[in-house]
Amino acid sequence: MTSTKRSQKTRPATPKEISRIDEANVGRLGLISIQERVPDSFTSWTVDFHVEGRPARLSCDAIPKYGGVPHGLDGDISTALIDLYVEDGCPEDGTLHTTAYQILKRAGLHDSGRYYQNLRQTLFRLRTSTYTASEAWRDHRRGNWTTVTFNYLEALEFTSGDEDLGLSRSSTLKIRLATPITKSIRAQYTKPLDLEFLTSLDRPLTRALYRLLDARRYPPEDPREPLASFTVNLIDWAEACKIVDRRSNKIRSTLQGAHEELIERLYLSAVEYEGRGQKQQLTYRFADLADQGESTLPDSPLIAELAEYRVSGAVARRLIEEYGDAHVQARLEKFVRLLASGFKARNRSALLVDIIRDQDNKYPEPEAPKEKTTRKKGSPPASNMPTLVEATDEPQPLEAQVDSALKTLQFLLRERLSVSEYALLRMGMIIGQPDPQEVTRLASRAKVEGRLDAFTAELLEHLGHLQLNETTGA
């Protein structure tokens, strides 16, 4: 199961270049088996270990109906969901509005029918499998280890794009991630994650092993000091990887292909075995980091300013690395002016991040206070924002315009539309009713003016007529 995107052999980024993050508990515990396939009957596992000298336990209980415990591609999907959640500003309720296409794209997977089927199966596994971490989950705010029980996904709602009730490119989703995971991310218990390198690796097993190794390489207590090597008992490592067959020769055989790829791709310099049988020790030697610098930018006044609006340090550094200090500073000032103009933001950090990342002029410059003018009922609000086509050198393909517009509208409208209503909106934009550029522009203006509820009512009325016309064939 490889992706066309994996044809280019991306090299690992230097620590200074890594701007994406992973939740540290998830990365360290390895909630998802690295094996590409497991028997349907493999519905539970339990791992006993020690944390700071104290006994700890991690277990998973799944059901055969959805293919046993989470495994294989499930790791790619779960990583994509966390990245999309962070990009969306880490909403406190843990809810993510997205599409099936956006998830596959972020995971670096094919946009094809088989992968939409795999995605559906993965989401059901993550929704129904129950994890229990006994004295093994780090509560970063309190600085202690706790016991938590959760499903990776606490809620899942989606529209089906075909008669088989499966997922397709047109499917919209509403997902609520596990509370322990989202609380940990907001508490900044995270580690660097080279997502571009991760998604470029060929096999799901290699990608899962890379993520597990990387959690050991970057201690979350101080990710700026990556380890040069990591040594572990072979059987203990098989348990951490959730490998089904724990015979030493089978473990080595399962890991061999992933080891070879990670060495070829210059992430590992060597993999060494010492001893025999169950007493074998496995040592991973990471590529030399001596000349690669520190993993993050030093703290700066700009990062401190962003932190005042609850933008995490990792996200702030990522934005500065992507767009530069001048751009981020200018957008921060625009955000402050927007708030000063009376704009009410439900989630300030999410809004600030979106303003910084905005490439389509979704947010007009706040106007100075002036006398109110009367606008005729039913006429669209004035706007001086350019359309998406005007803001880019070349027009985007229709599908790209629709996906971009839907992502923006999901961010602006949040819970005002249901999953099925977002799906209807997407269908309407494809046929130009409404136009994706125009509806995005009007939604942005409505948010600035504090009239999103009224805008949503008008939009739903339009979608109702659209659905009625489709039903009657008018």
Side-chain angles (χ1 to χ4, degrees):
M1 295 183 183
T2 59
S3 167
T4 53
K5 294 182 181 179
R6 305 188 205 284
S7 58
Q8 291 186 334
K9 299 297 184 181
T10 304
R11 293 176 59 120
T14 63
K16 185 177 180 180
E17 296 170 330
I18 298 175
S19 57
R20 303 294 180 99
I21 61 172
D22 193 10
E23 195 281 321
N25 282 303
V26 171
R28 176 178 53 82
L29 293 173
L31 301 179
I32 295 171
S33 170
I34 72 169
Q35 293 194 231
E36 295 178 33
R37 295 177 179 83
V38 300
D40 290 353
S41 58
F42 185 40
T43 57
S44 66
W45 49 255
T46 299
V47 179
D48 291 298
F49 52 100
H50 286 80
V51 175
E52 297 181 355
R54 299 174 56 186
R57 173 175 293 173
L58 177 69
S59 64
C60 176
D61 293 288
I63 57 179
K65 179 178 180 180
Y66 297 117
V69 299
H71 61 277
L73 287 177
D74 301 355
D76 297 318
I77 300 303
S78 63
T79 301
L81 293 176
I82 286 181
D83 195 58
L84 287 167
Y85 170 76
V86 172
E87 184 178 274
D88 207 23
C90 304
E92 290 189 15
D93 62 0
T95 299
L96 172 67
H97 290 273
T98 186
T99 65
Y101 172 75
Q102 289 167 2
I103 296 173
L104 290 181
K105 182 179 180 183
R106 187 57 54 93
L109 300 174
H110 276 294
D111 175 31
S112 65
R114 182 180 63 162
Y115 281 90
Y116 284 108
Q117 295 173 10
N118 292 337
L119 174 59
R120 183 183 185 278
Q121 195 79 345
T122 287
L123 293 175
F124 276 109
R125 269 195 295 270
L126 297 178
R127 177 67 188 94
T128 57
S129 300
T130 301
Y131 293 96
T132 302
S134 302
E135 295 297 308
W137 191 270
R138 178 76 173 178
D139 184 333
H140 198 49
R141 291 193 186 278
R142 294 182 173 85
N144 60 358
W145 299 92
T146 64
T147 295
V148 296
T149 298
F150 61 91
N151 301 90
Y152 206 106
L153 304 184
E154 291 183 354
L156 170 63
E157 186 178 345
F158 62 86
T159 60
S160 296
D162 55 44
E163 58 186 16
D164 295 327
L165 304 180
L167 290 171
S168 69
R169 198 168 200 258
S170 63
S171 296
T172 58
L173 298 94
K174 178 183 176 182
I175 295 170
R176 189 168 73 246
L177 294 173
T179 298
I181 295 176
T182 58
K183 284 179 62 178
S184 187
I185 293 173
R186 292 198 305 276
Q188 299 185 35
Y189 189 53
T190 58
K191 57 166 287 295
L193 179 66
D194 188 351
L195 189 64
E196 183 178 0
F197 178 71
L198 171 65
T199 56
S200 76
L201 295 169
D202 287 334
R203 297 177 58 194
L205 190 148
T206 307
R207 299 193 292 274
L209 182 64
Y210 163 78
R211 192 181 181 196
L212 200 57
L213 279 171
D214 216 49
R216 271 71 177 174
R217 185 184 194 184
Y218 291 95
E221 292 76 16
D222 189 2
R224 294 172 297 179
E225 296 294 336
L227 302 178
S229 64
F230 167 63
T231 301
V232 63
N233 172 269
L234 183 64
I235 303 302
D236 291 343
W237 190 235
E239 290 184 343
C241 294
K242 317 305 181 295
I243 294 175
V244 179
D245 193 330
R246 304 287 170 82
R247 290 176 293 175
S248 57
N249 63 321
K250 291 295 184 180
I251 298 169
R252 292 179 64 155
S253 174
T254 298
L255 295 173
Q256 182 177 351
H259 289 167
E260 291 173 352
E261 185 177 358
L262 290 174
I263 291 174
E264 178 189 348
R265 299 293 299 280
L266 305 180
Y267 177 74
L268 295 174
S269 61
V271 177
E272 301 167 359
Y273 292 94
E274 183 178 354
R276 291 186 176 183
Q278 295 190 351
K279 294 185 178 181
Q280 284 185 77
Q281 294 290 105
L282 173 59
T283 297
Y284 290 101
R285 301 200 181 279
F286 300 109
D288 185 15
L289 302 175
D291 300 322
Q292 295 181 347
E294 295 189 347
S295 63
T296 59
L297 294 173
D299 288 342
S300 68
L302 181 54
I303 291 177
E305 288 185 73
L306 294 173
E308 291 180 6
Y309 296 100
R310 302 180 65 83
V311 176
S312 71
V315 173
R317 284 186 286 270
R318 172 180 164 187
L319 292 169
I320 292 171
E321 288 170 357
E322 287 186 10
Y323 299 103
D325 289 71
H327 174 92
V328 173
Q329 183 67 55
R331 293 301 177 88
L332 173 59
E333 292 171 358
K334 181 176 183 177
F335 167 77
V336 172
R337 290 194 298 273
L338 193 62
L339 294 182
S341 71
F343 177 69
K344 303 297 182 183
R346 293 178 63 189
N347 186 322
R348 289 191 173 191
S349 62
L351 175 63
L352 174 54
V353 170
D354 197 56
I355 289 175
I356 292 172
R357 298 183 66 87
D358 175 33
Q359 300 295 306
D360 302 322
N361 289 329
K362 294 186 294 187
Y363 302 94
E365 186 64 34
E367 298 177 359
K370 58 183 180 179
E371 294 183 5
K372 293 183 178 180
T373 58
T374 303
R375 179 169 55 89
K376 292 183 179 180
K377 185 178 180 180
S379 62
S383 173
N384 59 356
M385 293 189 301
T387 64
L388 184 61
V389 173
E390 293 168 341
T392 55
D393 292 333
E394 295 180 1
Q396 291 182 309
L398 176 60
E399 287 283 339
Q401 290 184 41
V402 169
D403 286 327
S404 175
L406 184 62
K407 187 173 182 180
T408 300
L409 291 166
Q410 287 172 328
F411 171 79
L412 292 172
L413 303 180
R414 298 286 186 181
E415 306 297 324
R416 290 177 174 85
L417 266 63
S418 68
V419 173
S420 59
E421 287 166 344
Y422 276 120
L424 183 60
L425 174 58
R426 185 184 188 279
M427 181 194 74
M429 288 192 292
I430 288 177
I431 63 175
Q433 299 180 28
D435 178 78
Q437 302 162 24
E438 183 67 11
V439 71
T440 303
R441 180 166 58 184
L442 294 179
S444 300
R445 172 63 73 177
K447 184 162 188 175
V448 172
E449 295 180 344
R451 50 181 301 276
L452 270 180
D453 288 339
F455 170 84
T456 304
E458 295 171 6
L459 181 61
L460 288 174
E461 183 179 359
H462 170 78
L463 293 177
H465 288 309
L466 178 66
Q467 190 172 33
L468 179 62
N469 290 340
E470 183 182 78
T471 304
T472 60

